[in-house]
Amino acid sequence: MEHPELEQALGRLLGPAEPEVGCDACFEQLDRYVELEVAGADADAALPGLRAHFDGCPACREEHDSLLALVSGEHS
Amino acid sequence: MQVATRNEMGPASRAATVRRMKPLVSATLDAESREWIASLKATGAPRDEAIARLHALLLRAARFEVARRRPTLPHLRGGDLDDIANEAADDATMSVLRRLDDFRGASRFTTWAYKFALLEAAVKLRRRAWQGRELPLEPESWTLFASSGLEPDAEAEQSVLLRAVEQGIEDALTPHQRRVLVALALNGVPIDVLAERLGTNRNALYKTLHDARQKLRRHLDERGFSLDSWLEET
């Protein structure tokens, strides 16, 4: 595709096409999701809807990335 | 959206879900998490000591978040940042103590507690970064999203889509949905900042954003734009 700026804007405007959880449900399950990721398990299969939410919600994605980095650092 | 689906469930189904989602904590907890819970539910000096340990743990997490975001906050001094980390640790400690009975052992206690500190620190830093700034609630020039130097056919295709998006935002959304979508998705206003200014919360605002996105997607689908094929290539 030849319209990178437009495609990025469209992605932000339209959000994920897949079913997603809301911010509260995301926060409730975030600790479990991250521990599954650190353990190498399939977090997306165990807790569906979070990955799509991270695609649509930059704030929840940032907090996921931080928790993953913090917990991964403790395991390394 | 899963949240809406859950809200549509009837009382009996909801009660069954609550029973399923509340396993006995003691049956699944690791030893360290069990010790945290027992200490924080104790009385007197053991509880005070556990709360001090919890605060230290959450301060470490809050400082971790501050350090990650520091490059994006050049105008804040080290003292300001440490104040924010301390405030975040204070608020997170209160949140953890208030919600201790919600901990079901789905993760280690420390992982569960960390997320409160990271959330508090992130929200405070986002709000500080936007303090005193006017929030852009109207679309910037649509030409910002247009790629330049395209072949005539591609440029025409881009113009048609841009016009359809602009029209969809104008016609298909309520004024509130339009403001929220434009501020969050186009103008990059952090959701916590907008929630604070509008007197709402992140979850409610994201529901509005989700509904607006669905309406816009339908508007474009109905006009024959194959959106997923566009987005898959990003």
Side-chain angles (χ1 to χ4, degrees), chain A residues 18-76:
Chain A
E18 308 81 30
E20 60 173 314
V21 299
C23 296
D24 282 355
C26 178
F27 185 75
E28 288 303 317
Q29 301 174 71
L30 183 60
D31 49 316
R32 175 77 180 140
Y33 186 92
V34 163
E35 286 202 348
L36 288 169
E37 283 184 295
V38 171
D42 190 346
D44 295 321
L47 299 169
L50 266 75
R51 177 59 55 189
H53 183 68
F54 297 144
D55 290 341
C57 181
C60 289
R61 182 176 62 241
E62 288 171 9
E63 285 146 23
H64 160 264
D65 293 350
S66 291
L67 186 60
L68 180 60
L70 182 58
V71 175
S72 298
E74 287 188 337
H75 281 70
S76 61

Side-chain angles (χ1 to χ4, degrees), chain B residues 85-217:
Chain B
N86 273 285
E87 285 170 22
D90 292 349
D91 292 347
T93 301
M94 295 305 293
S95 293
V96 168
L97 293 175
R98 201 167 46 240
R99 296 188 55 180
L100 210 50
D101 288 338
D102 294 345
F103 177 65
R104 298 194 298 268
S107 69
R108 291 182 305 151
F109 174 80
T110 50
T111 305
W112 180 76
Y114 282 152
K115 69 181 179 180
F116 291 91
L118 298 176
L119 172 72
E120 292 289 350
V123 169
K124 288 180 195 313
L125 290 167
R126 289 185 194 111
R127 288 179 177 165
R128 181 64 74 90
W130 280 76
Q131 203 169 40
R133 287 171 67 180
E134 194 176 335
L135 300 191
L137 301 178
E138 296 299 324
E140 303 285 339
S141 167
W142 289 96
T143 56
L144 288 175
F145 310 118
S147 301
S148 55
L150 300 175
E151 296 295 320
D153 282 358
E155 195 166 322
E157 183 187 14
Q158 177 176 262
S159 296
V160 169
L161 181 58
L162 269 178
R163 237 187 343 267
V165 169
E166 192 176 358
Q167 194 178 14
I169 290 175
E170 193 59 36
D171 297 345
L173 308 185
T174 66
H176 178 58
Q177 287 173 336
R178 188 159 52 242
R179 273 195 302 274
V180 169
L181 180 70
V182 167
L184 298 181
L186 279 187
N187 295 341
V189 177
I191 194 166
D192 304 307
V193 174
L194 188 62
E196 184 184 39
R197 303 274 180 105
L198 297 180
T200 182
N201 60 59
R202 185 192 290 192
N203 196 61
L205 211 49
Y206 194 81
K207 178 74 168 63
T208 301
L209 175 66
H210 178 266
D211 292 347
R213 282 169 160 168
Q214 295 301 104
K215 278 189 179 178
L216 183 59
R217 193 177 273 275

